[in-house]
Amino acid sequence: MKLLKKQISAKDGSGTVLLRPDTSEDLWHAYNLLQVGDCVRCTTVRKVTKESSTGSTQSNKKRMMLTVTVEKVDFDADVLQVRLSGTVQAESDFVRMGAYHTLTLELNQNFSVEKQCWDQVYLDLIDEACHPDRQAEVAAIVMQSGLAHVCLVTGALTVTKARIETNIPKKRTGSSNHAKATTKFYEAVYQAVLRHVDFQKVKCVILASPGFVKDDFYKYMQEQAMRREDKVLLEHKSKFVLCRASSGHKHALEEVFADPTILSQMTETKVAKEVQVLNTFMRLMSTDPDRAYYGYHHVAQAHEQLAIDSLLVTDELFRNSNVATRKKYVALVESVREHGGKVYVFSSMHVSGQQLQQVSGVAAILRYPLPDLDELEEQANDPFLPSSIHMESDEDEEEYDPEKRIQEDMRDMGL
């Protein structure tokens, strides 16, 4: 992503940025930037109908620049497209003001976004998207007999670049159909790796399968690379890491990333850091539950006591259509950072983000145990307890006075 222009007011945070997406991952970042109510301006194609003096009509498509107030945003994960629809804000020769139009953000096409408030989460997202080192970090090939998925795992996306499926018959005595089908399957995976994996950018290539499928394919790939003199594979064969997976489906990456051997090969990648902190949280849930809490209410109460060491949150929470809910999570993230905590924003397009989403989408690893957090929550919700021990009481609230409380109760009862 290239940041071409940035005009944001230091007073109220309103302003406009001009961006240009260069990769498919940039479109995912653009999707996370857009909210209902934003004004987006870019070039688009619209069907225009003209009526002549004789009453005949003629329709043709014209490319024009339109500004649309966003009412709906969609991200198509299959074709990696961002579509946003809304009303046109500026009238032109071909489109009246207030007409509905759908914009499609395209690669290498400039677009501007105007917001009433660019909060810190939005600004961090732009910085991450425009970071020059952010590219495909890991390639993964999960396979089983007759099925394989070639994926690219970046800092924000797990993209399926190829799905290879071949019908492989069972082994039969005196028949070579099984061997021929297996060779055909391996060749298709081999070509997909050459076509979709940029070995200059990826830091490692994970090859995972149940049984010995991965070993047989790796042996086939080495033999073919030597025979065909494919220098790309020969020079980067040290980047391949073989490990076990339960199947050749994409969801098998979840257990692959949980393998400590794999994480050691991916120590410098953003994905590995997120997976590692999520594994730590899951482990603490069973071994030391007083240091691992999830759900906004528990996490917010832990932060009130400045106990959060690491905050885990999914980007889906920042796409909430309710402005108040989104501001609540943005304020939590900013406050945790101000008090020295680490914040990890998980992509919902990663298996790690999907795991975190299953436990409410927000979780925290604490610096020290808080065994009484559940008790404090019960006290905060109990209307018969004095207000001075409520977790959400104002700082300037009067301290609890037992004698005064008795007098108030007697007055309420008419005594």
Side-chain angles (χ1 to χ4, degrees):
M1 184 91 78
K2 286 186 173 61
L3 178 61
L4 304 177
K5 191 176 181 181
K6 182 178 177 182
Q7 290 182 330
I8 298 177
S9 170
K11 184 178 180 181
D12 58 2
S14 62
T16 305
V17 296
L18 181 63
L19 301 165
R20 180 192 301 158
D22 294 328
T23 66
S24 299
E25 186 180 357
D26 291 338
L27 294 176
W28 170 254
H29 286 297
Y31 170 65
N32 284 314
L33 276 176
L34 298 175
Q35 290 281 110
V36 174
D38 295 346
C39 289
V40 179
R41 181 175 177 81
C42 70
T43 58
T44 183
V45 176
R46 186 178 174 94
K47 187 177 180 180
V48 177
T49 303
K50 286 187 176 181
E51 186 176 349
S52 64
S53 57
T54 59
S56 61
T57 58
Q58 182 180 3
S59 299
N60 55 3
K61 292 183 178 180
K62 287 189 175 291
R63 181 168 286 274
M64 61 189 73
M65 183 76 75
L66 288 180
T67 303
V68 170
T69 300
V70 178
E71 294 184 2
K72 185 180 179 182
V73 188
D74 289 315
F75 179 78
D76 192 329
D78 295 328
V79 295
L80 295 174
Q81 277 189 349
V82 179
R83 289 186 290 270
L84 52 101
S85 56
T87 55
V88 177
Q89 289 305 295
E91 191 167 347
S92 67
D93 296 336
F94 306 106
V95 185
R96 62 180 175 80
M97 185 175 175
Y100 276 86
H101 187 76
T102 299
L103 297 175
T104 302
L105 301 186
E106 302 174 358
L107 293 178
N108 302 312
Q109 173 186 285
N110 298 351
F111 71 95
S112 66
V113 183
E114 181 182 351
K115 288 181 179 290
Q116 295 300 317
C117 179
W118 287 88
D119 56 45
Q120 192 58 46
V121 171
Y122 285 134
L123 298 178
D124 291 344
L125 185 58
I126 291 177
D127 289 340
E128 180 187 346
C130 297
H131 197 280
D133 296 333
R134 182 201 46 78
Q135 293 293 339
E137 296 180 322
V138 179
I141 307 160
V142 284
M143 59 193 307
Q144 64 188 49
S145 182
L147 176 66
H149 285 82
V150 179
C151 305
L152 290 181
V153 184
T154 67
L157 286 172
T158 300
V159 184
T160 302
K161 302 300 292 184
R163 184 179 190 273
I164 301 99
E165 191 168 5
T166 305
N167 184 27
I168 298 180
K170 293 182 179 180
K171 286 184 178 180
R172 298 184 186 277
T173 307
S175 175
S176 61
N177 291 337
H178 175 82
K180 289 180 180 178
T182 302
T183 302
K184 181 181 178 182
F185 171 64
Y186 286 166
E187 179 61 24
V189 178
Y190 181 90
Q191 294 298 330
V193 171
L194 287 176
R195 188 163 54 251
H196 297 294
V197 178
D198 188 346
F199 288 92
Q200 301 296 330
K201 295 179 180 178
V202 298
K203 297 177 180 178
C204 76
V205 182
I206 299 171
L207 184 56
S209 78
F212 296 98
V213 178
K214 60 183 180 301
D215 304 275
D216 295 340
F217 171 71
Y218 185 66
K219 181 181 178 182
Y220 173 86
M221 185 176 62
Q222 284 188 312
E223 291 174 352
Q224 294 301 315
M226 290 286 291
R227 187 172 65 84
R228 304 176 190 182
E229 296 182 354
D230 283 333
K231 294 183 178 180
V232 175
L233 286 175
L234 293 174
E235 291 174 358
H236 298 91
K237 63 181 181 180
S238 60
K239 291 185 176 181
F240 282 84
V241 182
L242 276 62
C243 64
R244 187 191 175 282
S246 59
S247 72
H249 294 278
K250 184 179 176 180
H251 62 75
L253 286 173
E254 180 179 329
E255 60 193 77
V256 170
F257 289 146
D259 189 337
T261 308
I262 301 301
L263 287 179
S264 65
Q265 300 285 333
M266 301 163 54
T267 50
E268 297 302 319
T269 65
K270 179 177 182 288
V271 179
K273 294 173 183 176
E274 291 178 352
V275 171
Q276 194 168 14
V277 72
L278 181 62
N279 289 343
T280 302
F281 171 78
M282 294 297 184
R283 186 171 61 253
L284 287 173
M285 285 282 289
S286 57
T287 60
D288 192 2
D290 292 335
R291 285 188 56 216
Y293 285 92
Y294 63 89
Y296 177 80
H297 189 74
H298 283 92
V299 171
Q301 293 211 358
H303 179 55
E304 286 181 8
Q305 302 184 49
L306 303 181
I308 294 181
D309 178 63
S310 298
L311 177 68
L312 292 67
V313 61
T314 63
D315 56 11
E316 191 168 327
L317 296 175
F318 300 121
R319 294 198 300 271
N320 197 300
S321 57
N322 189 317
V323 177
T325 302
R326 187 186 186 280
K327 286 184 176 179
K328 179 175 69 174
Y329 285 104
V330 170
L332 177 64
V333 167
E334 292 178 350
S335 182
V336 168
R337 282 179 176 158
E338 287 175 2
H339 291 89
K342 297 183 287 291
V343 177
Y344 298 88
V345 180
F346 287 68
S347 170
S348 56
M349 294 294 285
H350 276 323
V351 289
S352 56
Q354 292 161 9
Q355 278 183 281
L356 182 59
Q357 193 62 38
Q358 293 174 1
V359 288
S360 79
V362 59
I365 298 173
L366 308 189
R367 296 186 176 98
Y368 49 85
L370 285 178
D372 56 343
L373 197 60
D374 289 327
E375 297 177 10
L376 291 173
E377 179 187 3
E378 292 175 4
Q379 293 173 357
N381 295 329
D382 192 341
F384 298 103
L385 288 176
S387 58
S388 62
I389 63 173
H390 280 199
M391 292 300 298
E392 297 179 356
S393 61
D394 295 329
E395 292 182 0
D396 57 349
E397 192 171 357
E398 295 182 5
E399 190 174 349
Y400 177 64
D401 187 346
E403 186 176 347
K404 184 178 180 181
R405 179 65 180 269
I406 293 173
Q407 293 175 357
E408 290 177 353
D409 290 343
M410 294 179 65
R411 186 170 60 251
D412 292 339
M413 290 185 291
L415 298 177

